[in-house]
């Protein structure tokens, strides 16, 4: 009976672990959608929902996933971000969001900001990935 | 279905439970998303006030007051035949206002009483003042060949045309009016001194315009500011020697009161030496302003004004705002808590450089109402719904709620909830407004 109780508890926690992943995906997709809507119409959503609460919620879910994962000794292979299929999508999404916020600047200001940003991103990329490749 | 944790395999019984829980999670998520969408597309604004705690932060209803001017009773005790007024300025188009009172004493005083609501702008509710006269500095001429200048609010007649010529007033600057138009300004002394100028005379010295007051020349902050008040033709050209007899004052004259000005990405209302940054585009449009009426200004021009807190949709139009009732073709100027009618076409011409806000005074006379009924299972709470569709045609963002208590009563709380019904029409209206906001934002 005791063993059965442990099995039920372990499986319940595993279910919770899997559900947390589903919830995380829903929250991240929602957050991305909110960013797009806020980019197009500032104030439309932030007047109804607090973004900080969504971010805190995502952090709590991540912390719970990490905690449960450690309990079950679940490990993941380190993701190769630079070869990930999602990277190009994420980069495009970031550029669209940032680009939308830069519409107010004139051409030369945009050019300077873009070049500076690309340079900084390139330096970060070299810093993070070149040390791993060595 | 997408499984993010494929490597974690559950036993069949628990797998079934996981699938059910997953479906439930998605259902709850979509319910929450629907709720958020509902709040966006079918706006609901609730304004609450506690008579027992009038300064509580939670009070979102900021403006209940008594019509006689008596201070709002801290204990919520109203006298017999006392009228409670409230002004609410929610942004959006609503179809219904639900009014709720909770009473702790003499509940019968609240039941079956009528609550009325009308819609207009707050400033339009100001008491009507005396009709406005011609603007200071105006040069006028009547068919009988008389010439006048408005100085310090008074109409001063030039004793003869020689005086006009010797002083240098440009004849082309005199506005032709009828004798009858003169009655709106009080009569002042005749102008017969050819060696000194009356107050409010306009001068052009170099590239700067000045207005004379008590022997000192007050410069306009810029040519642009001058042109919002006067035409260039009205100015008497002088050389810099003129400063010897009339020193320059340190204070600048700015734009006409009520001017909409933009600097950087912000829009300001300039009035009485103060600048009020407008909170957001929704507030701008809700107050009846037009984008094409905005004048871009520079940092120097803005710096001449004392920056105030943000102008929100709860604030009345500031001094200097001109309203124009298109239907009745009437103009009003807002000044010192009063609306001053501008009854004369000639007088309107002297204010023509200021762009009016279009209004509909019918809104002040058209009311919707309901009768307070006891809420089910709640003895001390009385509520009713006032339909607002009939008022939506009237211009304005301010709803005034009014109710008179026939007998003395003690109120605890008061709330108004503005809502939109969940109909296809409302949804289409909301989506259309969202589309317009996106287009406005991209084109600004």
């Amino acid at each position: 009976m005791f063993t059965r109780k442990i099995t039920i508890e372990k499986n319940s926690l595993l279910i919770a672990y899997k559900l947390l992943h589903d919830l995380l995906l829903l929250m991240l997709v929602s957050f991305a959608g909110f960013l797009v809507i806020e980019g197009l119409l500032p104030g439309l959503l932030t007047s109804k929902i607090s973004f900080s609460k969504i971010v805190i919620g995502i952090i709590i879910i991540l912390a719970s996933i990490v905690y449960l994962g450690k309990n079950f000794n679940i490990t993941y292979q380190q993701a190769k971000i630079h070869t990930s299929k999602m990277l190009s999508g994420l980069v495009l999404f970031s550029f669209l969001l940032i680009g939308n916020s830069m519409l107010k600047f004139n051409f030369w200001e945009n050019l300077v900001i873009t070049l500076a940003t690309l340079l900084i991103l390139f330096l970060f990329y070299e810093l993070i990935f070149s040390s791993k490749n060595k | 279905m997408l499984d993010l944790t494929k490597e974690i395999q559950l036993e069949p019984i628990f797998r079934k439970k996981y699938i059910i829980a997953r479906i439930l999670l998605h259902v709850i998520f979509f319910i929450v998303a629907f709720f958020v969408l509902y709040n966006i597309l079918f706006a609901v604004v609730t304004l609450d006030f506690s008579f027992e705690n009038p300064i509580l932060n939670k009070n979102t209803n900021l403006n209940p007051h008594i019509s006689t001017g008596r201070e709002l009773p801290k204990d919520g005790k109203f006298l017999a035949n006392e009228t409670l007024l409230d002004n609410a300025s929610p942004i959006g188009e609503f179809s219904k206002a639900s009014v709720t009172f909770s009473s702790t004493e003499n509940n019968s005083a609240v039941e079956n009483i009528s609550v009325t609501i009308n819609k207009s702008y707050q400033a339009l509710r100001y008491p009507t003042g005396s009709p406005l006269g011609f603007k200071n500095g105006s040069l006028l001429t009547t068919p009988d060949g008389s010439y006048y200048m408005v100085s310090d609010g008074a109409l001063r007649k030039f004793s003869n045309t020689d005086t006009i010529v010797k002083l240098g007033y440009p004849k082309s600057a005199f506005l032709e009016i009828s004798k009858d138009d003169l009655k709106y300004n009080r009569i002042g002394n005749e102008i017969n001194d050819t060696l000194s100028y009356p107050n409010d005379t306009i001068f052009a010295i170099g590239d700067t315009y000045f207005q004379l007051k008590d022997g000192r020349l007050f410069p306009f902050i810029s040519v642009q500011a001058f042109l919002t008040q006067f035409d260039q033709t009205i100015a008497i050209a002088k050389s810099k020697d003129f400063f010897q007899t009339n020193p320059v004052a340190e204070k600048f004259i700015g734009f006409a009161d009520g001017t909409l000005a933009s600097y950087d990405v912000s829009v300001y209302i300039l009035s009485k030496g103060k600048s009020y940054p407008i909170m957001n585009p929704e507030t701008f449009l809700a107050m009846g302003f037009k984008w094409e009426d905005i004048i871009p200004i520079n940092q120097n021009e803005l710096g001449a004004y004392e920056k105030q807190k943000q102008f929100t949709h709860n604030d009345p139009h500031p001094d200097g705002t001109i309203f124009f009732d298109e239907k009745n073709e009437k103009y009003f100027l807002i000044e010192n808590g009063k609306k001053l009618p501008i009854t004369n076409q000639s007088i309107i011409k002297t204010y023509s450089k200021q762009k009016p806000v279009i209004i509909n005074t019918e809104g002040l006379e058209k009311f919707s109402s309901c009768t307070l009924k006891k809420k089910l299972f709640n003895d001390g709470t009385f509520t009713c719904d006032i339909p607002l569709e009939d008022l939506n045609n009237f211009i304005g963002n301010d709803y005034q709620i009014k109710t008179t208590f026939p007998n003395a009563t003690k109120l605890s709380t008061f709330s108004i909830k503005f809502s939109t019904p969940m109909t296809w029409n409302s949804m289409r209206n909301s989506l259309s407004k969202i589309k317009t906001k996106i287009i406005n934002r991209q084109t600004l």
Side-chain angles (χ1 to χ4, degrees):
Chain A
M1 207 167 129
F2 184 67
T3 315
R4 183 173 157 73
K5 192 178 175 191
I6 292 172
T7 309
I8 290 168
E9 272 179 16
K10 184 188 171 187
N11 278 289
S12 301
L13 287 173
L14 279 174
I15 289 171
Y17 183 77
K18 287 170 83 73
L19 284 173
L20 280 169
H21 275 80
D22 295 324
L23 184 60
L24 181 66
L25 176 67
L26 288 171
M27 293 286 279
L28 288 173
V29 167
S30 308
F31 191 64
F34 286 166
L35 286 175
V36 169
I37 294 169
E38 268 301 298
L40 288 171
L41 266 181
L44 182 71
L45 288 173
T46 44
S47 57
K48 313 267 182 222
I49 310 159
S50 166
F51 267 28
S52 55
K53 285 180 185 160
I54 298 174
V55 170
I56 290 166
I58 291 172
I59 292 169
I60 291 171
I61 293 167
L62 279 169
S64 308
I65 288 172
V66 166
Y67 175 75
L68 284 174
K70 275 195 171 161
N71 274 351
F72 289 113
N73 292 319
I74 297 170
T75 55
Y76 291 96
Q77 274 184 335
Q78 200 154 19
K80 288 180 185 161
I81 299 167
H82 57 288
T83 56
S84 162
K85 287 174 198 170
M86 277 181 62
L87 181 66
S88 46
L90 279 172
V91 168
L92 177 66
F93 180 71
S94 306
F95 267 109
L96 285 172
L97 269 185
I98 295 166
N100 179 58
S101 65
M102 284 165 62
L103 287 174
K104 301 286 179 216
F105 296 101
N106 66 36
F107 173 75
W108 293 108
E109 285 166 342
N110 268 312
L111 190 64
V112 167
I113 293 168
T114 307
L115 290 174
T117 307
L118 285 173
L119 177 67
I120 293 165
L121 286 174
F122 175 73
L123 289 171
F124 265 120
Y125 178 85
E126 285 293 308
L127 200 67
I128 295 167
F129 295 110
S130 63
S131 58
K132 287 180 182 166
N133 289 337
K134 279 177 188 170
Chain B
M1 255 200 255
L2 179 68
D3 190 348
L4 298 165
T5 47
K6 270 188 284 234
E7 60 282 352
I8 299 170
Q9 295 295 325
L10 294 166
E11 290 168 33
I13 301 168
F14 294 103
R15 183 165 171 71
K16 207 173 169 184
K17 286 184 181 172
Y18 165 62
I19 290 168
I20 293 168
R22 202 182 185 202
I23 290 169
L24 202 63
L25 175 71
H26 281 80
V27 165
I28 293 169
F29 175 80
F30 283 112
I31 289 170
V32 170
F34 175 78
F35 180 72
V36 169
L37 204 63
Y38 176 84
N39 268 304
I40 292 167
L41 291 176
F42 306 103
V44 172
V45 174
T46 307
L47 301 166
D48 298 309
F49 184 82
S50 165
F51 290 100
E52 287 155 357
N53 294 296
I55 53 169
L56 202 62
N57 278 341
K58 274 188 188 172
N59 286 333
T60 43
N61 187 346
L62 304 171
N63 212 357
H65 53 282
I66 296 176
S67 61
T68 53
R70 178 171 91 94
E71 201 185 313
L72 203 63
K74 286 189 180 122
D75 50 6
K77 281 187 176 165
F78 284 82
L79 305 170
N81 296 316
E82 213 155 31
T83 300
L84 174 70
L85 293 172
D86 190 21
N87 291 81
S89 307
I91 289 194
E93 215 166 85
F94 303 95
S95 62
K96 185 175 80 169
S98 303
V99 178
T100 307
F101 285 100
S102 63
S103 158
T104 53
E105 262 177 38
N106 197 7
N107 291 347
S108 57
V110 185
E111 195 168 11
N112 295 324
I113 64 168
S114 174
V115 181
T116 61
I117 196 168
N118 72 355
K119 184 183 172 191
S120 186
Y121 286 118
Q122 262 193 72
L124 267 184
R125 301 183 195 282
Y126 289 165
T128 306
S130 309
L132 193 68
F134 286 97
K135 197 172 174 169
N136 276 336
S138 300
L139 297 170
L140 311 164
T141 179
T142 49
D144 63 354
S146 300
Y147 291 86
Y148 301 84
M149 180 181 166
V150 179
S151 172
D152 293 327
L155 201 64
R156 296 184 65 186
K157 187 178 174 181
F158 286 95
S159 55
N160 53 57
T161 51
D162 274 346
T163 313
I164 299 170
V165 169
K166 281 179 182 161
L167 287 171
Y169 287 95
K171 270 227 172 141
S172 58
F174 284 84
L175 179 70
E176 285 177 13
I177 61 169
S178 71
K179 259 302 209 202
D180 199 44
D181 297 340
L182 299 172
K183 67 185 180 203
Y184 297 104
N185 289 83
R186 62 184 169 83
I187 305 297
N189 298 332
E190 258 194 14
I191 303 169
N192 47 31
D193 186 354
T194 56
L195 297 173
S196 68
Y197 288 90
N199 276 344
D200 297 311
T201 303
I202 305 291
F203 297 97
I205 305 170
D207 294 329
T208 310
Y209 291 91
F210 298 83
Q211 189 168 34
L212 186 71
K213 273 278 192 213
D214 302 326
R216 291 193 301 158
L217 290 166
F218 286 80
F220 282 85
I221 186 79
S222 63
V223 174
Q224 195 177 216
F226 169 74
L227 291 174
T228 61
Q229 301 205 45
F230 300 102
D231 280 325
Q232 281 177 312
T233 52
I234 208 173
I236 300 172
K238 289 284 183 190
S239 70
K240 288 188 181 166
D241 294 336
F242 193 64
F243 294 136
Q244 287 172 5
T245 45
N246 297 281
V248 176
E250 282 177 11
K251 203 176 167 189
F252 285 93
I253 303 175
F255 292 79
D257 286 340
T259 297
L260 294 169
S262 69
Y263 175 70
D264 198 9
V265 293
S266 300
V267 177
Y268 300 82
I269 307 175
L270 306 176
S271 174
K272 302 280 187 215
K274 295 178 177 159
S275 64
Y276 301 85
I278 300 178
M279 189 170 164
N280 52 37
E282 287 74 33
T283 302
F284 183 90
L285 293 170
M287 301 309 279
F289 297 131
K290 293 189 203 127
W291 299 114
E292 55 266 28
D293 294 343
I294 299 174
I295 300 172
I297 61 173
N298 59 39
Q299 200 171 17
N300 257 355
E301 287 167 317
L302 184 63
Y305 289 86
E306 197 185 308
K307 194 172 174 185
Q308 301 299 294
K309 65 175 179 65
Q310 268 191 340
F311 181 86
T312 71
H313 54 92
N314 291 315
D315 294 318
H317 288 81
D319 282 356
T321 304
I322 294 183
F323 287 120
F324 175 53
D325 183 351
E326 271 184 332
K327 192 170 178 189
N328 301 318
E329 292 188 352
K330 283 183 180 172
Y331 286 85
F332 298 92
L333 176 85
I334 302 300
E335 185 88 10
N336 295 329
K338 287 196 174 145
K339 60 176 192 269
L340 309 178
I342 311 176
T343 52
N344 188 285
Q345 284 298 319
S346 303
I347 298 174
I348 290 162
K349 279 183 195 164
T350 62
Y351 290 92
S352 63
K353 289 174 173 296
Q354 287 162 249
K355 309 290 179 212
V357 171
I358 307 297
I359 58 163
N360 191 328
T361 50
E362 273 183 338
L364 291 168
E365 288 136 30
K366 171 81 178 166
F367 294 86
S368 276
S369 63
C370 68
T371 307
L372 289 169
K373 297 285 179 204
K374 207 182 284 187
K375 210 169 178 182
L376 215 56
F377 309 123
N378 197 329
D379 254 1
T381 304
F382 301 86
T383 187
C384 68
D385 295 337
I386 311 177
L388 298 178
E389 283 102 350
D390 288 344
L391 302 182
N392 282 336
N393 292 330
F394 297 115
I395 300 170
N397 72 324
D398 179 69
Y399 293 92
Q400 187 173 71
I401 297 98
K402 185 174 161 183
T403 187
T404 304
F405 303 103
N407 301 307
T409 186
K410 186 171 188 280
L411 296 177
S412 163
T413 61
F414 167 42
S415 85
I416 315 161
K417 183 174 154 189
F418 292 91
S419 58
T420 324
M422 199 166 89
T423 61
W424 284 115
N425 221 20
S426 304
M427 191 171 81
R428 272 203 304 267
N429 280 340
S430 295
L431 288 171
S432 166
K433 279 182 192 149
I434 289 170
K435 180 182 146 198
T436 310
K437 280 181 203 172
I438 294 173
I439 293 167
N440 278 342
R441 192 172 173 265
Q442 300 308 324
T443 52
L444 273 177

